[in-house]
Amino acid sequence: MQSYFYPAMFALFVWWFSTGAIIFLDNLPRKTFKYSMVGATIVSLSCLYGLKITSAQTSLVSAYEAFFFGLFAWGWQEISFYMGYVTGPRNQPCPEGCGGWRHFGHAIETSLYHEVAIIISACAIFILTRHEPNQIGMWTFMVLWWMHQSAKLNVFFGVRNLNEEFLPEHLTFLKSFLKSKPMNLFFPISITVSMVIATMLFEHAASASNAFERSGDTFLGTMMALAILEHWFLVIPLPAGKLWKWGLASRKTLKAFDVEIVAGFLGAGKTTFMTRRLNDLATLPGKTVVLVNDFASVGVDGSLLTNQGADVVELPNGCICCSLRDDLSRQLEDTVTRFAPDRVLIEPSGVADIASLIGVMRRPALLPFVRAVKITTIIDAGAFLEDYSKLPAHFAAQAKLASLLIINKADVVSTAERMIVVETLRRLNPAVVIVTARYGHIDPEPLPQARIALVHQNPMHNEANHECDDHCSHDGHAPHSHHPHDHSEHNHNHAASDLGFTSWNTELHTHCNADALQAVLDEIVGGKFGTIARVKGLAKSGNGWLHFDVAGGRASMTAFAARSDEQARVVAIGKDIHESELAAAFLACDVKLAA
């Protein structure tokens, strides 16, 4: 029995400890990477030499040594990749909306050199140990290769637990290649293959005639069993990542930061205000990080806020609501750990549940570090009467939670209409400061009877801002049962669906004619393609780019400075969207077709 138990425990401990050690090294400051890489290379070369020596030996000790050498030879592959030395030709996120074989090709590009290095190492080990009786080290390397490839494909196709927190800061772009879903079709195949191999190895160990063979097969069988366990950790809702949390001790610890939430209904002007706000904050000391949450699966706001002097983290594909609070909490904790910001600006989608967002700030992992929370709510003056008549509870909830209310687009309404908005908001929240703005720029002149001092509220301790439980209600709507969040393009099963909105998006692969594009936007405003509350997009036009927008029943286009990897795209949010007609209309904006 000991000839099975001891090898299994040895394999389990070395696998667990070496994984945590690599995580620890990968999260040290980057200036230490070159020393870690030199050390790992020396260890790897020593292991190759050890594999050559032990390959001719068949003692019990040589079985342990060969397993150890094979596992640590694999360790160089992991360290070289996660430290960014041997990765691939692509070190950027996949363009938004990219899918299919193109998306798969981009994923291969991120680790192409890494995969080639594995093949070269495997060939070297095969040559060093061929025709020798001790093949334990070589097969250990091969089993680890299988574990690596299978896990990699599963997180690409989609699993529940992505464990993104273990990615080092310089590899955060890999998150664009990870997909969150309960399970994928490849998962049962990978589990079945691993179980068959593990069973065969354990059966062979049970019938082995000597300690060397029993130990060797037990080592390999245990590694395959760990592969099975590791795969189940990807889909079962268990905190398996805690097994290696100690490896993150080398990462920078959280420091106190301020939070500013810029809320507002669809098209109110949140992104425009955020741009001006970031310009103001750029003159202040300290680091700013922006979290952008788009309702649609394809985001545009993140591109608009890039290059504004802050790091931008996008949270696409959904409203911030109860079912997302665990994911958002992990994302926010991971973000502030990586960037150590002095302030965090959050732009939730126009249909987000702000109370749930505040509840995330009260989580035990974040609460000690959140110095203050300020909620700025943007109101579209021109669309307020219509929007409020349809969604009074939504606007009441946002107004009551706000530290500051900004009536944007004040120049498009009369004085009487502007005062109607002001008085409505004051009745909803008598203590809040209300100001007007144009294009997100706050007017210097105060409103009539405006309050002259900001009433400092701390939403963290407001009774109305309790953290939702599994049966919370959103903005006055009836409670609903808890269920997993759907990450598809159109279905949002919480606050967004309560408001009746769906989203549609597509890539624009053509150069658009500006006049034709303007005509499409005017048709959207006129209701030709359904009840569309919001459109935002980026398009190539001539030798430059356009940012186009429909908000508050008005269309606009402006010039846009695009990144080299920018993807032209459009997002529409509304009710009963005529998707095929809308897609055809944007396609017809092509310069050649328009001509």
Side-chain angles (χ1 to χ4, degrees):
M1 187 67 182
Q2 292 180 352
S3 58
Y4 303 112
F5 178 77
Y6 289 143
M9 291 299 100
F10 181 79
L12 176 62
F13 175 78
V14 174
W15 167 77
W16 168 80
F17 180 79
S18 60
T19 301
I22 291 173
I23 294 172
F24 183 89
L25 293 173
D26 288 338
N27 284 279
L28 287 170
R30 295 198 69 174
K31 62 183 179 182
T32 67
F33 284 9
K34 56 185 177 182
Y35 305 111
S36 298
M37 195 63 198
V38 169
T41 302
I42 294 173
V43 170
S44 181
L45 292 174
S46 301
C47 289
L48 292 177
Y49 178 75
L51 287 171
K52 172 63 177 176
I53 299 300
T54 57
S55 64
Q57 303 170 5
T58 57
S59 65
L60 180 60
V61 172
S62 67
Y64 276 81
E65 290 175 339
F67 171 76
F68 182 88
F69 292 148
L71 191 146
F72 272 72
W74 174 263
W76 184 91
Q77 310 295 333
E78 298 290 275
I79 288 178
S80 64
F81 177 78
Y82 286 107
M83 288 188 177
Y85 287 104
V86 184
T87 54
R90 185 181 187 86
N91 58 2
Q92 302 174 24
C94 196
E96 292 174 348
C98 181
W101 286 107
R102 183 166 173 245
H103 182 54
F104 187 71
H106 288 157
I108 293 176
E109 289 177 358
T110 64
S111 59
L112 180 61
Y113 305 149
H114 172 58
E115 302 300 337
V116 171
I118 294 175
I119 294 173
I120 293 174
S121 297
C123 292
I125 294 173
F126 173 77
I127 293 172
L128 289 172
T129 61
R130 62 177 178 172
H131 307 313
E132 300 292 348
N134 188 347
Q135 296 290 308
I136 295 172
M138 190 271 289
W139 285 113
T140 298
F141 190 93
M142 295 300 179
V143 168
L144 288 165
W145 190 3
W146 161 252
M147 293 172 67
H148 162 79
Q149 293 293 353
S150 179
K152 192 174 179 180
L153 286 171
N154 272 289
V155 298
F156 176 82
F157 292 134
V159 291
R160 184 187 301 274
N161 305 315
L162 297 172
N163 293 322
E164 296 172 323
E165 67 270 24
F166 292 111
L167 279 176
E169 180 179 339
H170 53 281
L171 294 180
T172 52
F173 70 91
L174 292 176
K175 291 183 180 181
S176 65
F177 299 96
L178 309 181
K179 185 180 294 184
S180 178
K181 60 189 297 187
M183 191 180 291
N184 63 79
L185 294 177
F186 178 69
F187 180 83
I189 297 174
S190 58
I191 284 290
T192 302
V193 171
S194 298
M195 289 183 66
V196 169
I197 296 175
T199 302
M200 293 172 62
L201 288 168
F202 284 128
E203 287 181 346
H204 195 269
S207 60
S209 58
N210 56 66
F212 168 77
E213 292 184 357
R214 283 196 296 271
S215 298
D217 290 332
T218 302
F219 283 136
L220 299 176
T222 301
M223 294 305 295
M224 289 305 303
L226 290 173
I228 297 169
L229 181 63
E230 198 174 46
H231 278 61
W232 280 113
F233 280 161
L234 294 174
V235 298
I236 298 177
L238 292 175
K242 290 184 177 180
L243 289 170
W244 295 284
K245 274 288 186 181
W246 60 273
L248 296 177
S250 57
R251 186 175 286 182
K252 293 177 291 187
T253 57
L254 291 180
K255 71 175 185 179
F257 58 93
D258 296 321
V259 176
E260 182 173 349
I261 302 170
V262 180
F265 194 58
L266 299 169
K270 298 187 297 296
T271 305
T272 302
F273 174 79
M274 287 277 284
T275 301
R276 296 189 181 278
R277 181 71 178 132
L278 288 174
N279 288 335
D280 295 338
L281 293 174
T283 62
L284 300 178
K287 187 178 182 65
T288 301
V289 170
V290 179
L291 266 67
V292 180
N293 172 239
D294 268 307
F295 170 59
S297 60
V298 173
V300 172
D301 294 345
S303 294
L304 301 179
L305 292 172
T306 301
N307 301 324
Q308 297 295 325
D311 294 295
V312 178
V313 179
E314 294 189 77
L315 304 173
N317 200 43
C319 53
I320 293 175
C321 53
C322 283
S323 66
L324 278 180
R325 61 183 181 177
D326 289 332
D327 294 337
L328 180 64
S329 179
R330 286 193 295 268
Q331 178 70 65
L332 184 57
E333 183 180 351
D334 183 51
T335 298
V336 297
T337 300
R338 292 179 186 279
F339 296 103
D342 296 277
R343 62 193 71 89
V344 176
L345 270 65
I346 303 178
E347 182 192 341
S349 74
V351 292
D353 178 20
I354 305 303
S356 291
L357 178 54
I358 296 171
V360 169
M361 307 300 166
R362 299 180 61 198
R363 289 294 181 92
L366 293 172
L367 183 58
F369 304 99
V370 178
R371 285 192 297 247
V373 175
K374 178 184 178 181
I375 301 175
T376 299
T377 299
I378 314 295
I379 302 294
D380 184 341
F384 179 75
L385 291 179
E386 180 182 355
D387 291 341
Y388 183 78
S389 66
K390 296 177 181 177
L391 304 166
H394 179 81
F395 281 88
Q398 290 206 343
K400 289 176 182 178
L401 295 173
S403 309
L404 174 66
L405 284 169
I406 299 177
I407 302 175
N408 196 28
K409 309 178 187 178
D411 55 317
V412 303
V413 297
S414 66
T415 302
E417 290 175 312
R418 186 164 66 250
M419 293 311 300
I420 289 172
V421 179
V422 172
E423 291 305 318
T424 303
L425 296 174
R426 278 198 177 130
R427 292 190 181 188
L428 294 174
N429 187 351
V432 75
V433 170
I434 303 175
V435 297
T436 58
R438 306 178 187 191
Y439 295 100
H441 180 71
I442 297 176
D443 294 330
E445 296 184 5
L447 286 165
Q449 301 177 354
R451 301 175 183 273
I452 60 174
L454 175 64
V455 178
H456 292 285
Q457 299 178 346
N458 188 350
M460 302 281 284
H461 303 289
N462 189 327
E463 290 183 1
N465 300 335
H466 62 281
E467 183 175 358
C468 296
D469 60 23
D470 289 342
H471 301 281
C472 70
S473 62
H474 292 280
D475 302 336
H477 293 280
H480 50 75
S481 60
H482 179 76
H483 52 275
H485 191 76
D486 185 352
H487 289 275
S488 65
E489 285 188 20
H490 304 289
N491 298 321
H492 297 272
N493 296 320
H494 291 269
S497 61
D498 287 343
L499 301 179
F501 290 105
T502 58
S503 69
W504 167 87
N505 65 79
T506 189
E507 293 184 11
L508 301 177
H509 296 290
T510 61
H511 280 72
C512 289
N513 176 280
D515 292 332
L517 180 58
Q518 182 65 56
V520 173
L521 299 180
D522 292 339
E523 289 175 337
I524 291 172
V525 171
K528 181 177 179 179
F529 304 105
T531 306
I532 299 178
R534 187 77 165 96
V535 172
K536 45 191 174 181
L538 303 172
K540 298 176 184 177
S541 183
N543 294 324
W545 284 73
L546 293 175
H547 167 225
F548 57 91
D549 196 277
V550 171
R554 293 177 296 278
S556 65
M557 291 194 297
T558 58
F560 178 69
R563 301 188 304 255
S564 59
D565 62 340
E566 196 66 74
Q567 174 62 53
R569 59 200 184 275
V570 58
V571 176
I573 302 172
K575 302 178 182 180
D576 302 320
I577 300 175
H578 304 167
E579 298 181 6
S580 58
E581 292 90 340
L582 191 58
F586 277 107
L587 179 62
C589 290
D590 178 76
V591 172
K592 296 180 181 178
L593 294 177

